Amino acid sequence: MRTPLPGREGVIQPGYPPPVEQLKRTLGVSDAVVVGLGAMVGAGIFAALAPAAGAAGGALLAALALAALVAYCNAHSSARLAARYPASGGTYVYGRERLGPFWGHLAGWGFVVGKTASCAAMALTVGAYVWPGRQHAVAVAAVVALTAASYGGVQKSARIARVIVAAVLAVLAGVVVVCLTSGAAGAGRLSGSDWDAAGLLQGAGLLFFAFAGYARITTLGEEVRDPERTIPRAVPLALGIALLVYAAVAVAALSVLGADGLARSAAPLADAVRAAGRPELAPVVRVGAALAALGSLLALVLGVSRTALAMARDGHLPRALAAVHPRHQVPHHAELAVGAVVAVLAATADLRGAIGFSSFGVLVYYAIANASAWTLDSGVKGRAVAAVGLSGCVVLACALPLASAVAGAAVLALGALAYGVRSRFRSAI
């Protein structure tokens, strides 16, 4: 284990984070929970459910439970680390401090690249629900609008997220009630024999994409009030609420469509209310889906830009990205750069490919978080949770579709190469 730098060990040291331009601490527990929920609800329900059903088949609910278990372990480890290192950057900071600069760089690289793909997936989800024939154009417009919103400050973003989450939860509650009370619902569709272990693991890996939103809370650590108390409370709250919502909606959709119907659907919840005999509600579901994806996209832009800020401070990304706006107190250069890259991806990418690629990068990110948590002084429970989380991340990453795993591994190798070149260049100066 790398020996921590002076002043960086303990709960929160007066000298931590290092003396650079700091972001303002304005977020409380409810704000942090809403940011996490905004990221998770949009990603999970409207984007990952269909491809996960295609992979897991009749074991979709079991895949959801497995993804939730791994997510809980990751959340537990991340919350402990965030309370000790309350700076922007999340696992980039934890890996750097606990394992060494290379592992921190690899975590940050995997997060920035993987979550940039997530941003594109969420933007494309907005397009698919708002205007299916012009989804790429709508996706780009959504990216531009939310990048502008995040530029106005994290409190403004949190207020927008609060409104979106409330509206989305109301729509999802309506979907659950309509489906479960319809004559089309059948308990026999909730499970089936058409699944295998590989499909179950692949489905869990794709559904993990849905749970990764709580990372927004830890990457905003520098903007959270009283982080040693706020973050450990906000992370499990957001994760628990999201799991309840996912389970209820998955059961409702499966009861009327079955796993095969879900897998074939481009808009599964809209199709679910049609199958339940209420086609007039499909436009409302489409609006809810678009809002959910917008909320997720907003939270993702916040998380990616803060990790880019932390990496830029250490020179792993261009140092211009470390600039903090004097009025709005946001990393405005990083936000604009992330918005520009996501807009290009949203104009050209494929939704399902983006989900698998993102899941690989984020699973590597959390594997490093769990390895970092293992090094903390803790009892049997802390180390057991970290070990289960680390093992789960590795297994689910390997179980993803081959194209996603190969592309993700190639991008990580590129990140490792960039680190080696940078280190060699610095040593030569």
Side-chain angles (χ1 to χ4, degrees), residues 173-186 189 249 251-258 267-282 285:
V175 170
V176 171
V177 171
V178 166
C179 291
L180 293 182
T181 59
S182 73
R189 297 190 181 96
V249 174
V251 167
L254 278 172
S255 71
V256 295
L257 292 177
L269 298 191
D271 289 344
V273 295
R274 287 194 190 95
R278 298 297 298 272
E280 70 276 11
L281 294 180
V285 174

Side-chain angles (χ1 to χ4, degrees), residues 118-358:
S118 293
C119 290
M122 288 302 93
L124 288 167
T125 301
V126 176
Y129 276 94
V130 171
W131 195 353
R134 296 286 186 273
Q135 67 175 22
H136 289 284
V138 175
V140 172
V143 172
V144 172
L146 289 185
T147 301
S150 67
Y151 198 94
V154 72
Q155 271 289 355
K156 180 179 178 181
S157 298
R159 286 195 295 270
I160 293 171
R162 192 180 296 273
V163 173
I164 289 174
V165 167
V168 171
L169 290 179
V171 170
L172 292 176
V175 170
V176 171
V177 171
V178 166
C179 291
L180 293 182
T181 59
S182 73
R189 297 190 181 96
L190 298 182
S191 61
S193 58
D194 57 332
W195 65 276
D196 55 30
L200 169 64
L201 292 174
Q202 187 176 117
L206 292 169
L207 282 169
F208 182 81
F209 171 87
F211 285 104
Y214 59 80
R216 301 305 82 70
I217 300 170
T218 59
T219 54
L220 295 173
E222 198 171 308
E223 294 161 274
V224 173
R225 297 194 304 267
D226 195 10
E228 70 273 23
R229 292 183 65 252
T230 298
I231 294 174
R233 292 171 63 191
V235 168
L237 271 173
L239 183 62
I241 295 169
L243 175 58
L244 290 175
V245 172
Y246 291 167
V249 174
V251 167
L254 278 172
S255 71
V256 295
L257 292 177
D260 290 340
L262 271 180
R264 291 193 301 267
S265 177
L269 298 191
D271 289 344
V273 295
R274 287 194 190 95
R278 298 297 298 272
E280 70 276 11
L281 294 180
V284 178
V285 174
R286 285 186 173 275
V287 171
L291 284 173
L294 283 171
S296 183
L297 177 57
L298 176 61
L300 284 164
V301 169
L302 291 174
V304 175
S305 60
R306 271 60 179 179
T307 301
L309 164 74
M311 295 182 73
R313 284 171 172 171
D314 291 342
H316 292 293
L317 290 176
R319 291 192 183 275
L321 298 181
V324 175
H325 195 283
R327 177 183 173 190
H328 300 302
Q329 291 293 294
V330 296
H332 55 304
H333 289 176
E335 288 186 344
L336 293 174
V338 169
V341 173
V342 173
V344 172
L345 288 176
T348 58
D350 168 72
L351 176 59
R352 295 194 179 203
I355 290 174
F357 177 78
S358 172

